[in-house]
Amino acid sequence: CGIFGVIGVTDAANFVALGLHALQHRGQEAGGIVCHHPDHGFNHARRFGYVRDNFTKQSLMETLPGPLSIGHVRYSTAGGKAPVIRDVQPFFGEFAMGGAAIAHNGNITNADALRRELIERGSIFQSNSDSECIIHLMARSLQRTIPDRMEDALRRVEGAFSVVAMTRTKLIGVRDPLGVRPLVLGQLGDGWVLSSETCALDIIGAAFVREIEPGEMVVITDKGVESRRPFKPLSPRFCIFEHVYFSRPDSIIGGRSVYETRRQIGIELAREAPVEADIVCPVPDSGTPAAIGYSHESGIPYAMGIIRNQYMGRTFIEPTEQIRNMGVRLKLNVNRALIKDKRVILVDDSVVRGTTSRKIKEMILDAGAKEVHFRIASPPTAWPCFYGVDTPQREKLLAATMSEDEMRDHLAVDSLKFITLDGLYRAVGEASGRNAKCPQYCDACFSGEYPVAPSDQIEKGFEL
Ligand code: 5GP
Ligand code: SF4
Ligand code: MG
């Protein structure tokens, strides 16, 4: 998901709408905005579909006045059933100190347990979302200010969370102690901005100030930014998959260009897994920077052998298997004239279920390719993510049940190679690779080493 907040500018919701539009790649199912105006109180709007189809209408934006606003773009991870509007964030609740709204990116790994406990003690849940726990924990806290209540609430929460919240007068941002999901601070004139990624600061002309640090809470008012440390410090474990796929290539994360990291992954891949071929083609868009790097390092020409229909969203983020199956063809088509009689290296960011790779291989062979070699910009995805990226159950992951060679045979391609975990760490700037004793990133979907025990899942029978 993507989260965004603005304080201290006229009609803050307009800026939030623009920010969410720039974060649309993080969630396309739905979006929501909450705002506050001294005379009109809290207002909100939640809609299914793209930001640009909803939050550009003047009639809607006029209902969202005030200098303080937060928003959220969603793709469902928890729940996973048919989307319902009451699961769309931000969540708003009115309690002792006048109410607060929150937008959450990540996944709370003890949400089921918390929910049971809260319901037993009288909380009335509105949604199926794990994120709603935070509001109820805040409502029950005995602290005297909302930021204090939020600290209280978040100390009970396990898993991954970047949160943007607001009260009548404050904009609040928090990252979990491991800093699994991103959150950055920006400045816009006299106002302040919180955003999942820097690309959304650019769209509104805000200056990047710094990242919110893992385990940090910032409370922003008209007096400025106050930084707090609500949690016991831990060594950070940012999601390495943000670098591979999730973030936009024009964002800067941890001081590194996401584009440059992806290009480096391609360079590493070409060193680790060279092969003779005529052209290097990306599976667009997510494989593009890595394909550029692979071509650069190998000297094999880069070519657009697959063309993407720009009017389709991200395939992975389609709710059902059937739509996803169709999705590949609706979104990607082979550039036949280019492919015919060529030995083709295809570069993609990841293989999850194998749906995309299988379809693409068929399309490429159909177009007359002589050989197909897959090169993947991440290690085999063998474990589900419980921290906010919607990977399927373990059984559906190709790499959970097959070795690299078995996957190659299953996909019936001439060769299939994944970047190694160490190669990936080198590409994100860790010169000596992964520190096995204390990994610098979360890489659980590749390694199976979960930095936070997924307690709800374990209770349901998930085996580490
Ligand atoms: P598959 O078709 O193998 O199930 O999925 C792989 C494709 O999904 C890749 O092309 C990748 O770009 C895309 N993808 C989109 N979202 C995600 C995600 O959240 N996780 C992973 N691993 N791949 C994703
Ligand atoms: Fe990111 Fe994978 Fe960790 Fe999930 S399990 S937070 S996708 S690295
Ligand atoms: Mg892709």
Side-chain angles (χ1 to χ4, degrees), residues 71 91 179-180 183 219 230 253 276 312 317 354 356 382 428 432 440 456:
F91 293 123
V180 175
L183 189 64
V219 180
I253 290 183
E276 259 185 54
M312 279 291 292
I317 307 184
T356 310
V428 296
S432 43
Q440 305 91 319
D456 285 344

Side-chain angles (χ1 to χ4, degrees), residues 57-79:
K57 299 197 179 87
Q58 205 188 348
S59 54
L60 178 63
M61 296 314 290
E62 275 171 3
T63 68
L64 300 170
L68 178 47
S69 176
I70 66 171
H72 187 267
V73 282
R74 165 188 164 83
Y75 92 102
S76 49
T77 50

Side-chain angles (χ1 to χ4, degrees), residues 107 181 383-392 445 450:
N107 201 56
R181 303 258 78 91
W383 298 88
C385 174
F386 300 121
Y387 309 132
V389 170
D390 186 20
T391 41
C445 45
Y450 290 89

Side-chain angles (χ1 to χ4, degrees), residues 25 75 241 244-246 283-287 314-318 321 324 328 331-332 347-360 376 378-379 381 385 388-392 396-398 411 445-446:
H25 60 287
Y75 92 102
F241 196 60
V244 173
Y245 171 82
F246 214 57
V283 178
D285 288 331
S286 47
R314 287 190 149 183
T315 340
F316 190 87
I317 307 184
E318 298 295 344
E321 193 98 32
R324 211 169 18 244
V328 178
K331 179 166 128 177
L332 301 174
V347 182
D348 201 356
D349 64 281
S350 54
V351 172
V352 183
R353 301 171 193 77
T355 323
T356 310
S357 350
R358 207 171 39 242
K359 295 266 157 189
I360 284 173
I376 309 298
S378 55
T381 304
C385 174
V389 170
D390 186 20
T391 41
K396 298 219 174 118
L397 298 172
L398 211 56
L411 296 171
C445 45
F446 310 122

Side-chain angles (χ1 to χ4, degrees), residues 91-256:
F91 293 123
F92 170 74
E94 197 124 22
F95 43 85
M97 283 100 202
I102 63 159
H104 166 223
N105 172 213
N107 201 56
I108 299 172
T109 49
N110 64 336
D112 292 351
L114 286 173
R115 191 184 179 99
R116 273 197 307 271
E117 174 195 319
L118 284 159
I119 287 175
E120 248 162 53
R121 290 159 66 195
S123 293
I124 300 168
F125 274 77
Q126 309 279 333
S127 76
N128 303 307
S129 165
D130 60 315
S131 318
E132 198 187 334
C133 290
I134 301 171
I135 278 274
H136 294 292
L137 289 168
M138 285 168 71
R140 301 195 70 91
S141 163
L142 299 173
Q143 296 296 325
R144 297 245 182 74
T145 69
I146 290 184
D148 288 346
R149 283 182 173 222
M150 200 158 152
E151 285 194 6
D152 236 14
L154 291 175
R155 278 194 286 260
R156 299 247 13 235
V157 160
E158 295 167 9
F161 51 89
S162 281
V163 173
V164 169
M166 62 183 277
T167 68
R168 286 171 296 187
T169 53
K170 300 182 180 80
L171 176 67
I172 302 169
V174 195
R175 280 177 85 192
D176 65 71
L178 298 174
V180 175
R181 303 258 78 91
L183 189 64
V184 301
L185 177 69
Q187 199 159 19
L188 179 66
D190 297 332
W192 297 92
V193 186
L194 291 168
S195 172
S196 291
E197 292 182 41
T198 61
C199 66
L201 300 179
D202 300 338
I203 195 176
I204 60 168
F208 171 67
V209 177
R210 64 177 179 86
E211 294 191 0
I212 306 304
E213 286 170 30
E216 186 186 18
M217 171 191 261
V218 291
V219 180
I220 310 172
T221 58
D222 51 11
K223 294 188 194 67
V225 181
E226 176 206 353
S227 169
R228 306 177 168 209
R229 293 284 170 178
F231 314 103
K232 219 171 56 221
L234 294 172
S235 83
R237 301 288 293 272
F238 184 68
C239 166
I240 205 162
F241 196 60
E242 290 270 355
H243 284 290
V244 173
Y245 171 82
F246 214 57
S247 294
R248 236 169 71 164
D250 51 339
S251 284
I252 310 284
I253 290 183
R256 286 180 68 80

